Amino acid sequence: MRVAFVGKGGSGKTTLSALFSRHLARSGAPVLAIDGDINQHLAEALGGVEESAPPLGAHLPEIKDFLRGDNPRIPSAEAMIKTTPPGRGSRLLRPLGDDELHARHVGRAGGVPLMVTGEFDESDLGVACYHSKLGAVELYLGHLLDGPGEYVVVDMTAGADAFASGLFTRFDMTFLVAEPTRKGVSVYRQYRDHAEQFGIRIAVVGNKVTGEDDLLFLKEQVGDDLLTHLEQSPWVRAAEQGRTAPGPDALASLEPHNRHALGVLREAVDSHPRDWDRLHRHAVELHLRNVRAWADARTGEDLAGQVDPEYVPGPAAPA
Ligand SMILES: Nc1ncnc2c1ncn2[C@@H]1O[C@H](COP(=O)(O)OP(=O)(O)OP(=O)(O)O)[C@@H](O)[C@H]1O
Ligand SMILES: [Mg+2]
């Protein structure tokens, strides 16, 4: 199951991505955290890097070559764009599987396996946009054969920017982190409208709630979309100051209310099984949009032909 954390800058996306990943890891569930933000802070929030690995964004051509496998509809890495869907011959990966991509790109932070997209660096200025780095995550998720009880948790860029790439259609659940302020809920409104259009599941998670008034405000503004909330947390502050132990077990001392909220998030993720057909339909739709908007012109090829009409990735996909 793939889970994204989005929201306004500073709302707590990274903090909640890290807490949720650690919560899952602590239960023994397989979990892979992905840092998909321009400023890469997830490793730190997880408790610090234990094993670093090269960023996905710096190896896009190799990743494309690996994922396209011998799919005859994708003759080269150059012809593969971030929305290119898998077809017969493509490589589908198991989460944390025994393959070249995971072997190279999965590091570890705070006891949790972690992949990173990479910082937006000097050499990108003026020539690339961060979305090309996020394209690696989009392709990865597009080729992932994950099942129930397996989790990929992505910390996303701030604000409605997360919608500028097709990545937002790749998740089973998108948690919108909102502080109890007017600005905090404004991103929610933007997101809700986009999400509706693509049939995407979102739920609002209140954060840094300090009392009844905060909670009432969120309930008033967000209504039934408010799934749960986390309170302002001395534990989180202590962690930021390096005063909690690293590793998932440290979560045992997280405030009971906040720990409970993490359980609610997990239940929400688990309560809706994946619909592979639907996920793939959206992926194809988005690919065709990109093809028409820019990709055919840029590559000089007919990329609509990359869609394998009889193929749907999933447990039943033809080899
Ligand atoms: N529930 C909480 N209790 C206490 N502090 C919190 C809580 N959630 C987040 N914070 C603090 O708020 C600050 C911003 O959090 P965080 O970095 O997770 O936000 P973000 O949405 O990822 O920000 P950015 O948009 O910069 O990536 C951090 O200092 C973090 O420790
Ligand atoms: Mg962040």
Side-chain angles (χ1 to χ4, degrees), residues 10 12-15 37 39 41 155-156:
K13 299 175 291 296
T14 304
T15 304
D37 196 2
N39 302 306
H41 296 306
D155 177 16
M156 300 273 281

Side-chain angles (χ1 to χ4, degrees), residues 163-242:
F163 274 107
S165 83
L167 188 53
F168 73 94
T169 63
R170 307 283 81 216
F171 297 103
D172 298 292
M173 174 58 112
T174 299
F175 288 129
L176 194 129
V177 185
E179 290 178 73
T181 61
R182 275 197 290 203
K183 271 194 183 155
V185 296
S186 69
V187 173
Y188 157 70
R189 300 223 169 78
Q190 283 174 307
Y191 229 103
R192 183 191 54 193
D193 298 343
H194 291 301
E196 226 157 58
Q197 209 186 335
F198 279 87
I200 285 163
R201 282 184 73 214
I202 64 168
V204 177
V205 181
N207 192 24
K208 308 187 201 178
V209 168
T210 57
E212 262 320 291
D213 287 348
D214 279 356
L215 197 53
L216 275 176
F217 176 84
L218 281 172
K219 280 182 179 157
E220 239 169 62
Q221 299 288 319
V222 172
D224 288 345
D225 283 343
L226 182 66
L227 175 66
T228 185
H229 69 277
L230 279 87
E231 292 170 351
Q232 177 71 32
S233 161
W235 188 96
V236 166
R237 177 54 64 87
E240 280 235 328
Q241 295 170 344

Side-chain angles (χ1 to χ4, degrees), residues 25-259:
R26 187 166 174 245
S27 76
V31 51
L32 171 65
I34 301 182
D35 194 339
D37 196 2
I38 300 173
N39 302 306
Q40 305 247 289
H41 296 306
L42 186 57
E44 212 178 295
L46 284 166
V49 180
E50 289 155 351
E51 247 176 80
S52 66
L56 295 167
H59 295 270
L60 197 51
E62 295 100 302
I63 291 171
K64 286 178 174 176
D65 262 330
F66 182 65
L67 294 177
R68 75 187 172 87
D70 48 25
N71 182 339
R73 295 171 181 274
I74 317 169
S76 69
E78 292 74 45
M80 193 170 187
I81 61 170
K82 60 195 176 170
T83 53
T84 297
R88 274 165 289 190
S90 294
R91 282 204 175 88
L92 295 185
L93 311 182
R94 294 276 303 129
L96 297 170
D98 183 13
D99 60 69
E100 195 179 303
L101 188 150
H102 287 100
R104 174 151 38 154
H105 291 289
V106 178
R108 224 174 159 77
V112 176
L114 171 71
M115 291 204 299
V116 303
T117 49
E119 297 271 351
F120 192 74
D121 56 44
E122 282 286 300
S123 64
D124 296 325
L125 287 177
V127 293
C129 72
Y130 193 69
H131 302 127
S132 66
K133 295 200 165 177
L134 277 183
V137 181
E138 199 169 330
L139 280 170
Y140 172 72
L141 293 180
H143 290 73
L144 193 65
L145 255 188
D146 53 329
E150 300 171 323
Y151 304 89
V152 177
V153 177
V154 186
D155 177 16
M156 300 273 281
T157 46
D161 238 27
F163 274 107
S165 83
L167 188 53
F168 73 94
T169 63
R170 307 283 81 216
F171 297 103
D172 298 292
M173 174 58 112
T174 299
F175 288 129
L176 194 129
V177 185
E179 290 178 73
T181 61
R182 275 197 290 203
K183 271 194 183 155
V185 296
S186 69
V187 173
Y188 157 70
R189 300 223 169 78
Q190 283 174 307
Y191 229 103
R192 183 191 54 193
D193 298 343
H194 291 301
E196 226 157 58
Q197 209 186 335
F198 279 87
I200 285 163
R201 282 184 73 214
I202 64 168
V204 177
V205 181
N207 192 24
K208 308 187 201 178
V209 168
T210 57
E212 262 320 291
D213 287 348
D214 279 356
L215 197 53
L216 275 176
F217 176 84
L218 281 172
K219 280 182 179 157
E220 239 169 62
Q221 299 288 319
V222 172
D224 288 345
D225 283 343
L226 182 66
L227 175 66
T228 185
H229 69 277
L230 279 87
E231 292 170 351
Q232 177 71 32
S233 161
W235 188 96
V236 166
R237 177 54 64 87
E240 280 235 328
Q241 295 170 344
R243 288 190 283 112
T244 51
D249 285 343
L251 239 54
S253 58
L254 180 68
E255 298 85 8
H257 172 88
N258 289 337
R259 240 179 22 230

Side-chain angles (χ1 to χ4, degrees), residues 1-5 20 23-24 146-153 171-175 201-203 205 227 261-275:
M1 304 296 277
R2 306 134 186 206
V3 181
F5 283 87
F20 189 53
H23 171 76
L24 296 168
D146 53 329
E150 300 171 323
Y151 304 89
V152 177
V153 177
F171 297 103
D172 298 292
M173 174 58 112
T174 299
F175 288 129
R201 282 184 73 214
I202 64 168
V205 181
L227 175 66
L262 297 175
V264 174
L265 300 188
R266 181 178 187 165
E267 274 165 30
V269 173
D270 291 344
S271 67
H272 277 63
R274 158 98 38 87
D275 178 345

